[in-house]
Amino acid sequence: MSRLNWTLCSALALGMASIPGTASATGPAVSYFDIKNPEDIAPIGETGMAIVSSFAPAVDGAAPLYLLDLSGGHLTPLHAAYPDNTVMDGQCGAPEAPVHAHGIDIHPKSDGYYELLVVNHGGREAIEIYEINMNGDGPTLAWTGCEIVPAKISPNDVTALPDGAFAVSSFGMKDDPETVQKILSGQPTGAIIEWTVSGGWHTHDRTSFSGPNGVIASPDGTALYVADWGTSSIHVLTRSDGSLRKLADLDFHPDNLSLTADGHVVAAGQFGTPEEIWACVLSAEPRCDLPGRVASINPETGEVMTLIDTGDSYGAVSIGLVYGGTVWVGAFHDDRLARYRDE
């Protein structure tokens, strides 16, 4: 969920494919890095490092979170310390089950310290809160608390907001047995909810989307960009009055979102019918071959520009992060993280 350098993005895009399911002969070099289901990527400020969430149940001590060197591509498992304290919900103790990480976001706290928000499905549906310490010999990660999401919410992504608040996308509602069928037909299913220190949870009444997936705050925190997966569109939610406008229609199903330094929205997602993509979600294979795309969207005009088309070489695309002349691409169902760059 980047606010990184956009200056090389246009030049990089010139060499990238623009037709779904194809690869460009003059396109960037692609490298792969071993990690299971790298569903989301969030940069740690301007440190040149990022956190990657491994969207897979922790088995045999596997880490749910990884540190990524954005320049070199080195991945390091991060095992958090879990002290016996809470800073948010007084009923929320340290997780008893292994964390099953989904969407993530990072925002600065003070010099060398950052807060990491993680959607957790392991043992409980909650937003886990961690502190990243970038001082000393290397980054350390410590759990500091959590907030349990309302019982009917199916959390997908999270984004930090001013004053310690955060927003969460709910792909569907757990009390609706027809959620999956509705998403497959583009009907409304989910919503955007916010948590604030003073008011707890509240739902934006006019945000009933068809499978709201990625959500990310504008740089000033006054608006939220929402990826509506079921209808292949991006919307802007103004937080002050709950008003909603469509920013762009896409020709793929948008998953997670990130931002560039100048506020362009980067959407990543999958081509294919909803049924094909849902079959990929349920597949027991280590990866899916559904083609994906990463595109940038002008937040003022809604103009869409393709950055990456993965073809069938990298499937189940869920996140794109621009870092200088590189685009990192993650997936919800693949055993690799992809890096595209001009060489």
Side-chain angles (χ1 to χ4, degrees):
M1 293 163 181
S2 169
R3 293 170 175 84
L4 297 175
N5 192 347
W6 180 253
T7 56
L8 294 181
C9 185
S10 294
L12 183 66
L14 294 177
M16 297 181 182
S18 58
I19 302 173
T22 68
S24 171
T26 60
V30 58
S31 303
Y32 298 105
F33 303 82
D34 292 339
I35 176 175
K36 186 174 179 60
N37 300 346
E39 203 271 346
D40 204 359
I41 312 170
I44 307 174
E46 297 181 358
T47 65
M49 310 293 284
I51 302 293
V52 182
S53 64
S54 175
F55 186 46
V59 178
D60 298 329
L65 301 167
Y66 286 74
L67 182 71
L68 171 64
D69 178 350
L70 291 168
S71 296
H74 185 66
L75 279 165
T76 306
L78 282 178
H79 295 278
Y82 287 93
D84 184 18
N85 73 317
T86 60
V87 298
M88 299 186 75
D89 187 340
Q91 304 301 313
C92 183
E96 297 180 359
V99 170
H100 182 185
H102 200 164
I104 61 176
D105 195 21
I106 297 172
H107 67 102
K109 291 180 61 179
S110 58
D111 289 345
Y113 290 88
Y114 299 82
E115 187 167 78
L116 167 66
L117 306 174
V118 179
V119 173
N120 175 29
H121 303 296
R124 64 189 182 194
E125 297 286 272
I127 306 302
E128 307 291 345
I129 316 297
Y130 297 85
E131 182 179 78
I132 304 170
N133 182 355
M134 296 296 290
N135 300 309
D137 295 334
T140 59
L141 189 65
W143 180 86
T144 58
C146 89
E147 186 64 36
I148 303 295
V149 302
K152 69 177 182 179
I153 296 301
S154 181
N156 188 297
D157 197 13
V158 61
T159 187
L161 298 170
D163 301 321
F166 50 81
V168 176
S169 60
S170 180
F171 198 67
M173 296 298 176
K174 291 186 175 179
D175 58 355
D176 183 357
E178 298 181 354
T179 288
V180 173
Q181 290 77 10
K182 288 179 178 179
I183 292 173
L184 294 180
S185 60
Q187 299 179 55
T189 61
I192 301 298
I193 63 172
E194 286 191 20
W195 184 91
T196 62
V197 175
S198 60
W201 291 105
H202 76 276
T203 301
H204 285 284
D205 292 336
R206 285 179 281 177
T207 60
S208 183
F209 298 106
S210 180
N213 203 316
V215 59
I216 192 165
S218 61
D220 62 5
T222 62
L224 296 171
Y225 299 106
V226 181
D228 192 30
W229 187 90
T231 64
S232 297
S233 56
I234 305 296
H235 297 259
V236 182
L237 167 67
T238 301
R239 296 180 56 227
S240 60
D241 61 6
S243 62
L244 197 65
R245 68 179 175 91
K246 182 185 290 186
L247 178 61
D249 285 311
L250 304 173
D251 54 3
F252 61 95
H253 294 278
D255 203 300
N256 288 327
L257 305 174
S258 64
L259 294 180
T260 63
D262 62 354
H264 281 71
V265 180
V266 178
Q270 316 91 35
F271 289 104
T273 66
E275 290 80 5
E276 289 172 333
I277 298 169
W278 201 256
C280 174
V281 172
L282 302 176
S283 172
E285 298 298 321
R287 64 178 67 133
C288 291
D289 60 2
L290 287 172
R293 171 170 287 178
V294 179
S296 73
I297 305 162
N298 186 308
E300 300 299 328
T301 67
E303 180 183 3
V304 180
M305 180 176 71
T306 297
L307 302 182
I308 294 290
D309 273 323
T310 65
D312 57 9
S313 63
Y314 190 71
V317 167
S318 60
I319 181 65
L321 179 69
V322 176
Y323 181 73
T326 300
V327 181
W328 289 93
V329 182
F332 69 82
H333 199 128
D334 203 295
D335 54 9
R336 305 161 298 165
L337 177 69
R339 180 184 66 191
Y340 295 80
R341 65 180 180 183
D342 281 348
E343 291 184 342

